[in-house]
Amino acid sequence: MIARALREYSKDEVLAALHPAVAMWFDSKFPDLSPPQRYAVVPIHEGKNVLVTSPTGTGKTLTAFLSIISQLLEMGEEGELEDTVYAIYVSPLRALNNDIYRNLEVPLKEIRELCPNLPEIRHAVRTGDTSASEKSKQLRKPPHILITTPETLGIVLTAPKFREKLRTVRWVIVDEIHSLVENKRGTHLSISLERLRWLTEREFVRIGLSATINPLDEVAEFLVGYEDGRPRDCLIVETNWAKALDLALLSPVSDLVNTPSEEISAKMYELVARLVKKHTTTLIFTNTRSGTERVVFHLKKVLKDGIEDIDQKIAAHHSSLSRFVRREVEERLKRGELKAIVSSTSLELGIDIGYIDLVIQIGSPKSVTRALQRIGRAGHRLQDVSKGRFIVVDRDDALEVAVMLREALSGRLDKVHIPRNPLDVLAQHIVGMAVERKWKVEDAYKLITSAYPYRDLPWEDFEAILRYLAGEYTQLESRKVYGKIWYDPEEGTFGRRGKYARVIYATNIGTIPDEVAAKVYTTEGKYVGNLEEDFLERLMPGDRFVLGGRVYEFVSARGLRVKVKPAFDQKPTVPAWFSEMLPLSYELALEIGKFREEVFRLLEEGASRSELVKMIMEMSNANSNAALSIYNYLREQYLYLKALGVSLEDMPSHRVILVESFVDEEGRTHQVTHSLFGRRTNDALSRALAYIAGKEVKRNLGIAVRDTGFAIIYPRGVKPPVNIEDLVGLDLRAILRDALSKTELLRRRFRHVAARGLMILRNYKGYEISVNKQQISAQSLLRIVEKIDNFPLLKEAYREIMEDYMDIERAEEVIDKIRRGEIRVVDIGEVRIPTPFAHNIVLEGLSDLIFMEDKMSALRRFQREIELILKGIGG
């Protein structure tokens, strides 16, 4: 049963449950318990599975380890502590593992200093970075507490000698579980935990540690898995109220359209600079790596005169920088040497980065949960306030963040998306299991379906993976895809085939796809970081770009090795990376739709500007600039639609999808669908609609997708024959599958799936296979498997795109609501000027507007026309 922890224990009760030495140490270090410790230490001590969700800096990690250290000491005193592993700590980050090692070192050392006769508790880190000599040492003298990553856990489960040391495991801690559940790394870990359960032949205590996440019941089930078709017991400790929040929405100007772009940019950096100056250390989040580099570059320029040695006091931190550069930045941050650090996503997780007293988010983080996770990095101590400032320079972002902050301050969160039945991860684990021993198929199926993501795995899919891995698809042998297991359907057993199976599994394990990246070096040979190949192809000698917060000039490239020279004092001449934008969560999108409806109603009832601005400021702690921008945006949409004869009931909201068509200067028709459901849902809806429309007009159609809606772009002279209502009654999945069949998206995702499913090897006999070769192999394999009925890895590629990359389930929900009349579609036909809500969607589809300034000029043209129309009607 999944239950909430209701019992709060006193400090005396908690200390009484611990080993006297641990209790003495804790009492000497901490005046009181933190909220998670009050609720979770005793249940963990009693052997209960526990999911702890609490903000950063509330002592979650120590909560998990107190009982473990205590019980290991008791075992040692009773002579039961052997040379074997008793506790496993799993986190998604190697840097976090190193932090945990250091953080455990302190209590273990200090407890033994208090009581020198206590047995030694050993702990060690084992990841892909661990040397062969260290691994040998761990085999001779295993750590009692093993600190590792999901991938390395998957490897040690098949290590012939070391796996024997795991039979004694009594506790598993999964840290940062919120960052794992939504992706295939988490799926991979969920099966590894079930394999560990079969190895230990008894239940072990599972402890999950998470930042803000929802729904907790589902995350708890993910953590503990299933036994005989029912979730195992788990106690949820929810103490998200433990730290105070100080959130505000800021805009540098009150008019985000008519103010020149240079002025908006200058005022934004001035605003950021003022905030940075007022605080000790500021963490600034952007949504893209290019945004990170841009902010570092401009912020250094703005703060050049105000802060001494500014070049050394502001740094970038993102995944395209080398591990050495990232680690150096983290250490400087810990030592308090940085005034500001700018990151995209790499500092969201709980690695120790020292004291941060302010988090700035530039643009919308796209979900309430992500907003709270990022802001939670500020005020690392329990008594500190988590202070966050959200800076917006776009009207859609302003409206989005205003509603987001209202939801955050009300404690309402978006729902997590957990992948279901990924067949590529399943294939990888089946090979790993076959390496261990001969399996009965029924036992293997029972193990797999004990993992939460596979709880309803169809038997046919499971068997299809066995048949694929056993080499039954002989068409693939011409492409050097051979069987990796043997499978006897008559006997109902399978096992390892060939002497290389273990090596293939160990060297190809993991779920993170290889990205094509070029390594960048200075002319002196110093490694600087990585560039995406797409970006590299556009560079010419002499071009300057930003990397690691500094400007470099492109000299030459040989293969995927790039040569540059420093150009620190010069301006970049080309924009930086291409990055996928974060998608708006479906739940937040619906709340924005409800807020639109509420403001339209208040405008209809005659609410004044001051009343509505005050309402926006109060609900989101917005400054007057942001509140005015939101008010004007909503008012202009309302008045323009009224001028077009649209009634209040027909205005776009969570219950009304408005459709309008606009003909651009080239004669192309942009059919705009105001479907405020987030980019993932709109991606599915738009591709399906474009596919049926394209078949109707016998032309390929353009698509522009945003979180707030999408546009289907018809060539000159072609009028839209259908709208979103025409998807009612059709098989959306089948249409989308047809629409995806020849796309680059499918080709790329199939390579990822084929690599995870061990159809394409990333490493073979000690050689690394280049991504270029992998992609070539994937394309020829795709041509073969497209002719095989229901081939499991192709099925998975489609599933991953439709369910994980897009959101086919929400798209189906929208279409079903249209069918039931819960959502109405209102098509107002052709308009001379697109409505304000359509401006960004239309501009997304104008492919000839490459530069941001061109788009802003077009946006201002639309805005001037709208203002003239409203002036004409006295609005």
Side-chain angles (χ1 to χ4, degrees):
M1 187 173 81
I2 308 295
R4 293 294 193 282
L6 302 175
R7 169 97 192 265
E8 184 177 355
Y9 293 86
S10 68
K11 186 177 180 183
D12 288 344
E13 287 174 304
V14 171
L15 296 186
L18 300 175
H19 184 282
V22 178
M24 193 191 314
W25 171 81
F26 186 91
D27 198 33
S28 69
K29 302 288 284 187
F30 303 98
D32 202 358
L33 301 169
S34 71
Q37 288 158 4
R38 286 188 213 122
Y39 286 93
V41 173
V42 172
I44 292 169
H45 188 77
E46 291 170 348
K48 291 176 180 168
N49 297 322
V50 176
L51 171 64
V52 181
T53 172
S54 191
T56 301
T58 52
K60 288 194 294 284
T61 312
L62 186 57
T63 300
F65 276 114
L66 276 173
S67 288
I68 295 171
I69 294 169
S70 187
Q71 288 175 270
L72 287 175
L73 288 173
E74 287 168 10
M75 289 167 66
E77 288 183 327
E78 291 163 15
E80 296 173 2
L81 198 63
E82 299 173 10
D83 287 340
T84 187
V85 178
Y86 291 99
I88 299 176
Y89 168 93
V90 184
S91 97
L93 288 180
R94 295 176 191 182
L96 184 53
N97 285 341
N98 294 329
D99 281 346
I100 293 299
Y101 178 83
R102 287 192 297 269
N103 293 344
L104 267 181
E105 191 103 323
V106 175
L108 291 174
K109 179 171 167 281
E110 291 178 351
I111 289 166
R112 287 194 83 201
E113 284 171 357
L114 282 172
C115 304
N117 296 327
L118 287 174
E120 181 195 12
I121 307 295
R122 294 188 302 275
H123 67 301
V125 175
R126 190 175 180 121
T127 66
D129 294 337
T130 305
S131 66
S133 61
E134 173 62 19
K135 288 177 187 173
S136 299
K137 182 181 158 192
Q138 288 178 12
L139 185 59
R140 289 193 305 273
K141 205 80 170 164
H144 301 119
I145 301 170
L146 177 68
I147 300 165
T148 192
T149 59
E151 292 76 17
T152 302
L153 177 59
I155 291 170
V156 295
L157 282 167
T158 59
K161 293 175 183 173
F162 195 79
R163 75 188 299 268
E164 294 304 311
K165 307 297 181 184
L166 303 181
R167 290 187 184 277
T168 48
V169 167
R170 291 176 56 176
W171 301 273
V172 173
I173 300 168
V174 181
D175 203 352
E176 304 285 345
I177 194 170
H178 60 278
S179 73
L180 289 167
V181 292
E182 288 201 273
N183 55 53
K184 289 186 175 182
R185 286 188 85 193
T187 308
H188 196 281
L189 175 62
S190 70
I191 299 183
S192 290
L193 292 177
E194 295 308 321
R195 287 172 61 190
L196 181 63
R197 160 71 186 80
W198 276 66
L199 182 63
T200 61
E201 296 181 354
R202 63 173 183 180
E203 296 290 353
F204 46 78
V205 177
R206 305 188 194 208
I207 305 159
L209 305 178
S210 176
T212 309
I213 197 165
N214 179 56
L216 288 171
D217 289 47
E218 189 174 5
V219 177
E221 289 187 20
F222 175 91
L223 170 68
V224 297
Y226 274 48
E227 190 73 39
D228 299 324
R230 294 168 60 85
R232 296 184 180 98
D233 292 345
C234 188
L235 196 65
I236 295 172
V237 172
E238 184 180 7
T239 56
N240 286 322
W241 42 265
K243 285 176 76 177
L245 292 171
D246 174 4
L247 309 177
L249 166 61
L250 308 174
S251 171
V253 297
S254 60
D255 187 340
L256 289 169
V257 179
N258 293 314
T259 309
S261 304
E262 306 80 32
E263 188 181 331
I264 294 175
S265 181
K267 290 198 170 179
M268 184 194 82
Y269 287 114
E270 284 167 18
L271 175 57
V272 173
R274 281 200 303 275
L275 290 167
V276 167
K277 280 180 184 174
K278 277 187 196 171
H279 295 83
T280 307
T281 308
T282 301
L283 170 56
I284 302 167
F285 279 109
T286 65
N287 288 342
T288 62
R289 288 169 294 185
S290 57
T292 295
E293 297 288 357
R294 200 162 50 242
V295 171
V296 170
F297 178 76
H298 287 292
L299 204 50
K300 281 180 179 178
K301 281 172 65 179
V302 175
L303 288 169
K304 180 172 60 181
D305 300 326
I307 297 175
E308 247 182 84
D309 204 15
I310 192 63
D311 206 47
Q312 299 303 313
K313 290 187 178 172
I314 296 178
H317 188 289
H318 57 71
S319 57
S320 284
L321 296 172
S322 68
R323 191 177 302 160
F324 170 77
V325 171
R326 290 202 306 269
R327 199 166 289 168
E328 189 180 36
V329 168
E330 289 159 20
E331 290 304 319
R332 286 170 61 205
L333 190 55
K334 275 184 224 175
R335 292 194 299 266
E337 295 171 9
L338 293 178
K339 190 70 180 159
I341 183 164
V342 190
S343 176
S344 48
T345 58
S346 56
L347 287 177
E348 281 181 344
L349 302 185
I351 57 173
D352 182 8
I353 53 173
Y355 183 71
I356 301 286
D357 54 345
L358 174 69
V359 170
I360 295 174
Q361 165 70 49
I362 295 176
S364 168
K366 299 292 178 181
S367 88
V368 181
T369 306
R370 188 179 293 109
L372 289 173
Q373 285 167 3
R374 289 181 171 186
I375 299 309
R377 301 299 275 145
H380 207 87
R381 296 185 300 263
L382 179 58
Q383 66 272 25
D384 294 335
V385 173
S386 287
K387 186 176 183 181
R389 296 294 178 261
F390 295 76
I391 298 177
V392 293
V393 291
D394 171 88
R395 295 188 300 183
D396 281 328
D397 272 6
L399 177 54
E400 212 169 275
V401 174
V403 177
M404 183 186 300
L405 296 195
R406 182 190 70 182
E407 295 300 291
L409 293 165
S410 306
R412 292 189 289 267
L413 305 173
D414 333 271
K415 287 181 180 172
V416 74
H417 166 75
I418 300 177
R420 288 176 61 187
N421 302 324
L423 300 180
D424 49 354
V425 176
L426 173 62
Q428 202 174 110
H429 271 289
I430 291 291
V431 172
M433 290 163 68
V435 165
E436 294 169 20
R437 62 181 175 88
K438 176 180 171 181
W439 281 83
K440 286 185 180 175
V441 173
E442 284 181 9
D443 286 346
Y445 182 69
K446 186 179 178 185
L447 183 155
I448 296 296
T449 53
S450 295
Y452 177 76
Y454 295 93
R455 65 198 181 282
D456 56 3
L457 174 71
W459 173 265
E460 305 77 55
D461 286 349
F462 178 70
E463 193 176 34
I465 286 292
L466 289 175
R467 289 174 50 229
Y468 145 65
L469 290 171
E472 289 191 18
Y473 297 100
T474 52
Q475 309 95 305
L476 299 173
E477 288 186 1
S478 64
R479 302 305 313 165
K480 298 183 180 175
V481 178
Y482 303 108
K484 293 162 188 70
I485 67 170
W486 56 261
Y487 168 45
D488 185 340
E490 295 296 317
E491 192 186 55
T493 54
F494 70 90
R496 179 180 77 187
R497 176 195 284 188
K499 60 183 178 179
Y500 290 116
R502 186 186 301 280
V503 176
I504 286 171
Y505 173 74
T507 55
N508 289 276
I509 197 169
T511 60
I512 302 170
D514 290 335
E515 297 294 342
V516 180
K519 288 182 164 48
V520 181
Y521 296 85
T522 62
T523 45
E524 288 79 36
K526 184 189 173 189
Y527 174 47
V528 179
N530 292 348
L531 285 180
E532 292 174 12
E533 195 175 37
D534 285 349
F535 179 67
L536 174 60
E537 287 172 354
R538 293 163 60 107
L539 290 180
M540 300 285 286
D543 280 347
R544 295 188 297 273
F545 59 91
V546 178
L547 182 59
R550 296 183 168 187
V551 181
Y552 293 92
E553 184 177 311
F554 177 63
V555 176
S556 63
R558 183 178 172 86
L560 290 177
R561 186 183 173 104
V562 179
K563 199 182 285 185
V564 299
K565 62 184 181 184
F568 298 159
D569 298 329
Q570 299 182 60
K571 287 186 177 180
T573 56
V574 288
W577 282 278
F578 304 96
S579 296
E580 289 183 3
M581 292 296 291
L582 294 169
L584 180 68
S585 75
Y586 180 75
E587 291 78 18
L588 182 55
L590 292 183
E591 291 305 320
I592 297 166
K594 290 174 189 175
F595 181 69
R596 283 179 173 183
E597 182 183 68
E598 181 188 357
V599 175
F600 290 153
R601 179 183 57 77
L602 290 169
L603 286 166
E604 183 89 357
E605 291 170 2
S608 69
R609 180 173 107 155
S610 61
E611 287 171 332
L612 289 172
V613 167
K614 184 185 175 192
M615 179 186 88
I616 294 165
M617 289 175 77
E618 286 177 352
M619 81 177 201
S620 59
N621 202 15
N623 70 354
S624 57
N625 282 345
L628 265 171
S629 183
I630 293 165
Y631 165 77
N632 286 328
Y633 188 32
L634 292 167
R635 176 179 170 273
E636 285 163 10
Q637 177 75 15
Y638 168 79
L639 290 175
Y640 185 39
L641 284 176
K642 292 292 277 186
L644 292 172
V646 178
S647 68
L648 175 67
E649 293 73 27
D650 290 345
M651 291 192 181
S653 69
H654 63 299
R655 294 189 290 198
V656 175
I657 294 175
L658 186 82
V659 180
E660 61 181 280
S661 296
F662 162 72
V663 180
D664 67 20
E665 291 171 357
E666 304 296 318
R668 296 168 299 196
T669 297
H670 300 247
Q671 184 193 47
V672 178
T673 302
H674 294 274
S675 49
L676 180 47
F677 303 116
R679 187 184 302 264
R680 288 178 60 228
T681 302
N682 285 338
D683 208 344
L685 291 170
S686 61
R687 284 176 190 262
L689 185 59
Y691 184 74
I692 65 164
K695 287 185 79 173
E696 188 93 8
V697 299
K698 297 180 174 54
R699 305 283 282 274
N700 287 330
L701 305 177
I703 304 173
V705 184
R706 287 182 69 90
D707 290 308
T708 53
F710 60 87
I712 308 297
I713 302 149
Y714 291 82
R716 187 184 185 93
V718 180
K719 296 299 176 188
V722 293
N723 70 25
I724 191 170
E725 214 162 3
D726 292 288
L727 291 175
V728 173
L730 302 180
D731 184 340
L732 201 60
R733 283 177 192 257
I735 292 168
L736 199 49
R737 188 184 168 99
D738 288 344
L740 290 166
S741 65
K742 302 297 178 194
T743 61
E744 282 300 321
L745 179 59
L746 178 68
R747 292 186 190 106
R748 189 169 70 249
R749 293 286 167 152
F750 179 71
R751 169 171 65 81
H752 297 173
V753 167
R756 283 190 213 103
L758 306 180
M759 191 179 193
I760 293 170
L761 300 182
R762 292 176 287 187
N763 289 277
Y764 186 61
K765 294 185 179 179
Y767 294 97
E768 195 172 307
I769 312 298
S770 74
V771 177
N772 190 42
K773 283 185 179 174
Q774 288 179 44
Q775 188 62 48
I776 292 165
S777 297
Q779 286 173 349
S780 46
L781 284 168
L782 183 56
R783 286 193 290 271
I784 295 169
V785 300
E786 279 175 332
K787 296 170 186 169
I788 300 172
D789 283 343
N790 225 17
F791 184 73
L793 294 190
L794 181 57
K795 181 178 179 178
E796 172 55 25
Y798 279 112
R799 187 213 63 79
E800 181 184 299
I801 294 169
M802 291 197 275
E803 294 182 11
D804 301 344
Y805 177 75
M806 299 177 189
D807 192 344
I808 183 70
E809 289 183 16
R810 301 295 197 194
E812 287 173 327
E813 187 180 306
V814 169
I815 298 303
D816 197 47
K817 282 184 175 179
I818 294 172
R819 182 185 62 77
R820 296 199 307 265
E822 292 173 31
I823 292 176
R824 290 187 305 109
V825 177
V826 176
D827 194 333
I828 59 172
E830 198 172 297
V831 292
R832 188 174 66 81
I833 300 297
T835 66
F837 285 0
H839 291 180
N840 277 332
I841 302 169
V842 169
L843 294 180
E844 192 87 11
L846 293 173
S847 55
D848 48 329
L849 299 182
I850 297 165
F851 297 106
M852 182 55 71
E853 191 46 54
D854 294 338
K855 291 198 173 186
M856 289 306 296
S857 296
L859 187 59
R860 286 185 203 109
R861 280 202 309 276
F862 286 154
Q863 183 66 17
R864 279 196 298 274
E865 294 276 4
I866 295 285
E867 286 169 2
L868 284 171
I869 291 166
L870 297 186
K871 203 173 179 184
I873 60 169

